[in-house]
Amino acid sequence: MDDWFLSGYSLNPYSNCSFNCVYCYTRGSKYGENQVPGLAAKINAPEVLVKQLKNRARKREYGFIAFGSATDPYLPVEEDLRLTRELLIIILRFRFPLHLLTRSPLILRDLDILKKIGEKAVIPDQFQGKTDTGVVLSFSFSTTDEHLARIFEPGAPSPHERLKTMKQCKEEGFTVGAIFMPLLPFLSDREEHLEEMIRKVKENGADFVLASGLTLFGEGPQDCKTRYYEVLEEHFPELVPKTRAIFGNSFAPSRKYQNELHQRFIRLCQKYQIRNRVY
């Protein structure tokens, strides 16, 4: 089981993403090795999911499904294809709990099904007593600053839209959280910026926050490492040497940087009395 997302299983209806986030970890990493060029919808996903969940349910191998762990399940194309909605209906049929991750207000379309999943899901033994619902909804942010978001997440719904959507989901009775993955070095990871992010998500209903630093994979022209440094050079050239210094020859920032970021994050979560885990 994934300790961060609770998940025993993962499900992604789409491959690649039209939100075009500069830092997307799938580009250049092992998670993107089998991706086809461009956006692809997994049109046979419902058929495969029925077989998988039927077998797991028969064995009573219930576990949270991380829905949208690699590609957002509510890309604009979902409005017409309705593939995510079809998969949610299957999940409801087999009564599996769900942790859905998105940046899109399109999730509001499916709150009817998500409520039913939450009511009927079989909660795994390790979560008995911790929750009485089978649905967790998480909203992803690398920043809540509109200007920064337009630079690094040019195709994604704005932070304001995400905050508003998260608040609506909370008002509908869902467990909701914010995922700060990744925090951008020397931009959204700064004390004042991170505090502002935590304050905003708390004010808009977040029950928890998860956070991690940036990773930069690959060396190719379309890989996230290359793209990130190109965008940084264009908009924040003064940060290029500092960023290269904390990464060195690794895809991840130094252990010292990660420890300092973690301590800063924990301290601010304590200040605003918000969980730094789902449960």
Side-chain angles (χ1 to χ4, degrees), residues 11 42-47 49-50 67 74 78 81-93 109-110 113:
L11 175 62
K42 301 176 183 178
I43 57 174
N44 68 330
E47 178 185 352
L49 186 62
V50 167
F67 199 122
Y74 287 106
E78 167 62 20
L81 293 184
R82 300 172 72 85
L83 180 57
T84 289
R85 186 172 177 88
E86 186 175 355
L87 295 173
L88 290 176
I89 292 171
I90 294 168
I91 291 170
L92 171 61
R93 172 184 167 188
R109 181 200 66 187
D110 292 337
I113 299 175

Short mmCIF file of all heavy atoms in Angstrom, two decimals, residues 11 42-47 49-50 67 74 78 81-93 109-110 113:
data_model
loop_
_atom_site.label_atom_id
_atom_site.label_comp_id
_atom_site.label_asym_id
_atom_site.label_seq_id
_atom_site.Cartn_x
_atom_site.Cartn_y
_atom_site.Cartn_z
N LEU A 11 -5.21 3.90 -11.00
CA LEU A 11 -6.01 3.89 -12.22
C LEU A 11 -5.88 5.24 -12.91
O LEU A 11 -6.08 6.29 -12.28
CB LEU A 11 -7.48 3.61 -11.88
CG LEU A 11 -8.51 3.67 -13.00
CD1 LEU A 11 -8.21 2.62 -14.07
CD2 LEU A 11 -9.91 3.46 -12.44
N LYS A 42 -7.70 5.66 -22.78
CA LYS A 42 -7.65 4.19 -22.67
C LYS A 42 -9.07 3.65 -22.82
O LYS A 42 -9.76 3.36 -21.84
CB LYS A 42 -7.03 3.80 -21.33
CG LYS A 42 -5.62 4.35 -21.15
CD LYS A 42 -5.05 4.02 -19.78
CE LYS A 42 -3.67 4.62 -19.58
NZ LYS A 42 -3.11 4.35 -18.24
N ILE A 43 -9.50 3.51 -24.08
CA ILE A 43 -10.91 3.20 -24.34
C ILE A 43 -11.31 1.81 -23.89
O ILE A 43 -12.51 1.53 -23.73
CB ILE A 43 -11.23 3.38 -25.85
CG1 ILE A 43 -10.31 2.50 -26.71
CG2 ILE A 43 -11.08 4.84 -26.25
CD1 ILE A 43 -10.69 2.52 -28.19
N ASN A 44 -10.35 0.93 -23.68
CA ASN A 44 -10.68 -0.41 -23.17
C ASN A 44 -10.60 -0.48 -21.66
O ASN A 44 -10.77 -1.56 -21.07
CB ASN A 44 -9.76 -1.46 -23.79
CG ASN A 44 -8.32 -1.32 -23.33
OD1 ASN A 44 -7.88 -0.21 -23.03
ND2 ASN A 44 -7.60 -2.42 -23.28
N ALA A 45 -10.37 0.64 -21.00
CA ALA A 45 -10.22 0.66 -19.54
C ALA A 45 -11.45 0.11 -18.81
O ALA A 45 -11.30 -0.65 -17.85
CB ALA A 45 -9.89 2.07 -19.06
N PRO A 46 -12.68 0.45 -19.22
CA PRO A 46 -13.84 -0.12 -18.52
C PRO A 46 -13.87 -1.64 -18.56
O PRO A 46 -14.14 -2.28 -17.53
CB PRO A 46 -15.03 0.49 -19.27
CG PRO A 46 -14.50 1.78 -19.82
CD PRO A 46 -13.09 1.47 -20.21
N GLU A 47 -13.59 -2.22 -19.70
CA GLU A 47 -13.59 -3.68 -19.82
C GLU A 47 -12.53 -4.30 -18.91
O GLU A 47 -12.79 -5.29 -18.21
CB GLU A 47 -13.32 -4.07 -21.27
CG GLU A 47 -13.25 -5.57 -21.52
CD GLU A 47 -12.86 -5.90 -22.95
OE1 GLU A 47 -12.80 -4.97 -23.78
OE2 GLU A 47 -12.62 -7.09 -23.23
N LEU A 49 -11.14 -2.91 -16.24
CA LEU A 49 -11.44 -2.63 -14.84
C LEU A 49 -12.49 -3.58 -14.29
O LEU A 49 -12.38 -4.04 -13.14
CB LEU A 49 -11.91 -1.18 -14.68
CG LEU A 49 -12.10 -0.71 -13.23
CD1 LEU A 49 -10.79 -0.77 -12.45
CD2 LEU A 49 -12.68 0.70 -13.19
N VAL A 50 -13.50 -3.90 -15.06
CA VAL A 50 -14.52 -4.85 -14.60
C VAL A 50 -13.87 -6.19 -14.25
O VAL A 50 -14.13 -6.76 -13.18
CB VAL A 50 -15.61 -5.05 -15.68
CG1 VAL A 50 -16.48 -6.27 -15.34
CG2 VAL A 50 -16.48 -3.81 -15.79
N PHE A 67 -7.00 7.27 -8.12
CA PHE A 67 -7.58 7.56 -9.42
C PHE A 67 -6.99 8.88 -9.93
O PHE A 67 -7.28 9.94 -9.39
CB PHE A 67 -9.10 7.69 -9.27
CG PHE A 67 -9.89 7.53 -10.54
CD1 PHE A 67 -10.85 6.55 -10.64
CD2 PHE A 67 -9.68 8.37 -11.61
CE1 PHE A 67 -11.59 6.40 -11.79
CE2 PHE A 67 -10.42 8.24 -12.78
CZ PHE A 67 -11.38 7.25 -12.86
N TYR A 74 -9.72 14.41 -15.18
CA TYR A 74 -10.70 15.38 -15.65
C TYR A 74 -10.07 16.39 -16.60
O TYR A 74 -10.26 17.61 -16.48
CB TYR A 74 -11.36 16.08 -14.45
CG TYR A 74 -12.33 15.18 -13.73
CD1 TYR A 74 -12.01 14.64 -12.50
CD2 TYR A 74 -13.55 14.85 -14.30
CE1 TYR A 74 -12.89 13.79 -11.83
CE2 TYR A 74 -14.45 14.01 -13.65
CZ TYR A 74 -14.11 13.48 -12.42
OH TYR A 74 -14.98 12.64 -11.78
N GLU A 78 -12.42 14.86 -21.26
CA GLU A 78 -13.33 14.04 -20.47
C GLU A 78 -14.77 14.55 -20.54
O GLU A 78 -15.72 13.77 -20.41
CB GLU A 78 -12.86 13.99 -19.01
CG GLU A 78 -13.85 13.44 -18.01
CD GLU A 78 -14.28 12.00 -18.24
OE1 GLU A 78 -13.56 11.26 -18.95
OE2 GLU A 78 -15.32 11.60 -17.71
N LEU A 81 -15.84 12.63 -23.68
CA LEU A 81 -15.65 11.18 -23.67
C LEU A 81 -16.33 10.49 -22.48
O LEU A 81 -16.74 9.34 -22.59
CB LEU A 81 -14.14 10.85 -23.65
CG LEU A 81 -13.35 11.20 -24.90
CD1 LEU A 81 -11.91 10.72 -24.77
CD2 LEU A 81 -13.98 10.60 -26.15
N ARG A 82 -16.36 11.14 -21.33
CA ARG A 82 -17.01 10.62 -20.13
C ARG A 82 -16.43 9.26 -19.70
O ARG A 82 -17.14 8.41 -19.14
CB ARG A 82 -18.53 10.52 -20.34
CG ARG A 82 -19.16 11.86 -20.67
CD ARG A 82 -20.62 11.74 -21.06
NE ARG A 82 -21.47 11.42 -19.92
CZ ARG A 82 -21.98 12.30 -19.08
NH1 ARG A 82 -21.72 13.60 -19.25
NH2 ARG A 82 -22.75 11.93 -18.09
N LEU A 83 -15.16 9.06 -19.98
CA LEU A 83 -14.50 7.82 -19.63
C LEU A 83 -14.32 7.69 -18.11
O LEU A 83 -14.56 6.63 -17.52
CB LEU A 83 -13.14 7.73 -20.33
CG LEU A 83 -12.27 6.50 -20.08
CD1 LEU A 83 -13.02 5.22 -20.43
CD2 LEU A 83 -10.98 6.61 -20.90
N THR A 84 -13.92 8.78 -17.48
CA THR A 84 -13.78 8.77 -16.02
C THR A 84 -15.10 8.45 -15.35
O THR A 84 -15.16 7.65 -14.41
CB THR A 84 -13.23 10.13 -15.53
OG1 THR A 84 -11.86 10.24 -15.92
CG2 THR A 84 -13.35 10.29 -14.02
N ARG A 85 -16.17 9.04 -15.83
CA ARG A 85 -17.49 8.78 -15.23
C ARG A 85 -17.86 7.31 -15.37
O ARG A 85 -18.39 6.69 -14.43
CB ARG A 85 -18.56 9.66 -15.87
CG ARG A 85 -19.91 9.54 -15.18
CD ARG A 85 -20.91 10.56 -15.69
NE ARG A 85 -22.21 10.35 -15.06
CZ ARG A 85 -22.59 10.89 -13.91
NH1 ARG A 85 -21.77 11.67 -13.26
NH2 ARG A 85 -23.80 10.66 -13.41
N GLU A 86 -17.58 6.73 -16.51
CA GLU A 86 -17.89 5.31 -16.73
C GLU A 86 -17.10 4.44 -15.75
O GLU A 86 -17.63 3.46 -15.21
CB GLU A 86 -17.57 4.93 -18.17
CG GLU A 86 -18.00 3.51 -18.53
CD GLU A 86 -17.80 3.18 -20.00
OE1 GLU A 86 -17.41 4.09 -20.77
OE2 GLU A 86 -18.02 2.02 -20.38
N LEU A 87 -15.84 4.78 -15.52
CA LEU A 87 -15.02 4.01 -14.60
C LEU A 87 -15.49 4.17 -13.16
O LEU A 87 -15.46 3.21 -12.37
CB LEU A 87 -13.55 4.43 -14.72
CG LEU A 87 -12.90 4.14 -16.08
CD1 LEU A 87 -11.50 4.75 -16.13
CD2 LEU A 87 -12.82 2.65 -16.34
N LEU A 88 -15.96 5.35 -12.81
CA LEU A 88 -16.49 5.56 -11.46
C LEU A 88 -17.73 4.70 -11.22
O LEU A 88 -17.94 4.17 -10.12
CB LEU A 88 -16.83 7.03 -11.25
CG LEU A 88 -15.65 8.00 -11.14
CD1 LEU A 88 -16.15 9.43 -11.02
CD2 LEU A 88 -14.75 7.65 -9.96
N ILE A 89 -18.56 4.55 -12.23
CA ILE A 89 -19.75 3.70 -12.10
C ILE A 89 -19.34 2.25 -11.84
O ILE A 89 -19.97 1.55 -11.03
CB ILE A 89 -20.62 3.82 -13.36
CG1 ILE A 89 -21.23 5.23 -13.45
CG2 ILE A 89 -21.72 2.77 -13.38
CD1 ILE A 89 -21.92 5.54 -14.75
N ILE A 90 -18.28 1.80 -12.49
CA ILE A 90 -17.78 0.44 -12.27
C ILE A 90 -17.23 0.29 -10.85
O ILE A 90 -17.47 -0.72 -10.18
CB ILE A 90 -16.71 0.09 -13.32
CG1 ILE A 90 -17.34 0.03 -14.71
CG2 ILE A 90 -16.02 -1.24 -12.99
CD1 ILE A 90 -16.33 -0.03 -15.84
N ILE A 91 -16.50 1.30 -10.39
CA ILE A 91 -15.96 1.27 -9.02
C ILE A 91 -17.10 1.21 -8.01
O ILE A 91 -17.03 0.48 -7.01
CB ILE A 91 -15.05 2.49 -8.79
CG1 ILE A 91 -13.77 2.36 -9.62
CG2 ILE A 91 -14.72 2.66 -7.30
CD1 ILE A 91 -12.93 3.61 -9.66
N LEU A 92 -18.15 1.96 -8.25
CA LEU A 92 -19.33 1.91 -7.39
C LEU A 92 -19.94 0.51 -7.38
O LEU A 92 -20.30 -0.01 -6.32
CB LEU A 92 -20.36 2.94 -7.87
CG LEU A 92 -21.75 2.88 -7.21
CD1 LEU A 92 -21.65 3.12 -5.71
CD2 LEU A 92 -22.68 3.88 -7.87
N ARG A 93 -20.04 -0.09 -8.54
CA ARG A 93 -20.62 -1.43 -8.66
C ARG A 93 -19.88 -2.44 -7.78
O ARG A 93 -20.52 -3.28 -7.12
CB ARG A 93 -20.58 -1.87 -10.12
CG ARG A 93 -20.97 -3.31 -10.38
CD ARG A 93 -20.79 -3.66 -11.84
NE ARG A 93 -20.85 -5.08 -12.09
CZ ARG A 93 -20.57 -5.65 -13.27
NH1 ARG A 93 -20.21 -4.89 -14.31
NH2 ARG A 93 -20.64 -6.96 -13.41
N ARG A 109 -19.20 17.56 -11.78
CA ARG A 109 -20.19 16.82 -12.57
C ARG A 109 -20.49 15.45 -11.98
O ARG A 109 -21.61 14.94 -12.09
CB ARG A 109 -19.65 16.64 -14.00
CG ARG A 109 -20.57 15.91 -14.96
CD ARG A 109 -19.80 15.37 -16.15
NE ARG A 109 -18.84 14.32 -15.76
CZ ARG A 109 -17.95 13.78 -16.60
NH1 ARG A 109 -17.87 14.20 -17.85
NH2 ARG A 109 -17.14 12.83 -16.16
N ASP A 110 -19.48 14.85 -11.32
CA ASP A 110 -19.60 13.47 -10.88
C ASP A 110 -19.78 13.31 -9.37
O ASP A 110 -19.61 12.21 -8.84
CB ASP A 110 -18.35 12.68 -11.32
CG ASP A 110 -18.28 12.52 -12.82
OD1 ASP A 110 -19.33 12.60 -13.48
OD2 ASP A 110 -17.16 12.30 -13.34
N ILE A 113 -22.11 10.36 -8.25
CA ILE A 113 -21.54 9.01 -8.20
C ILE A 113 -20.55 8.91 -7.05
O ILE A 113 -20.51 7.90 -6.33
CB ILE A 113 -20.86 8.64 -9.52
CG1 ILE A 113 -21.86 8.67 -10.66
CG2 ILE A 113 -20.20 7.27 -9.44
CD1 ILE A 113 -21.25 8.43 -12.02
#
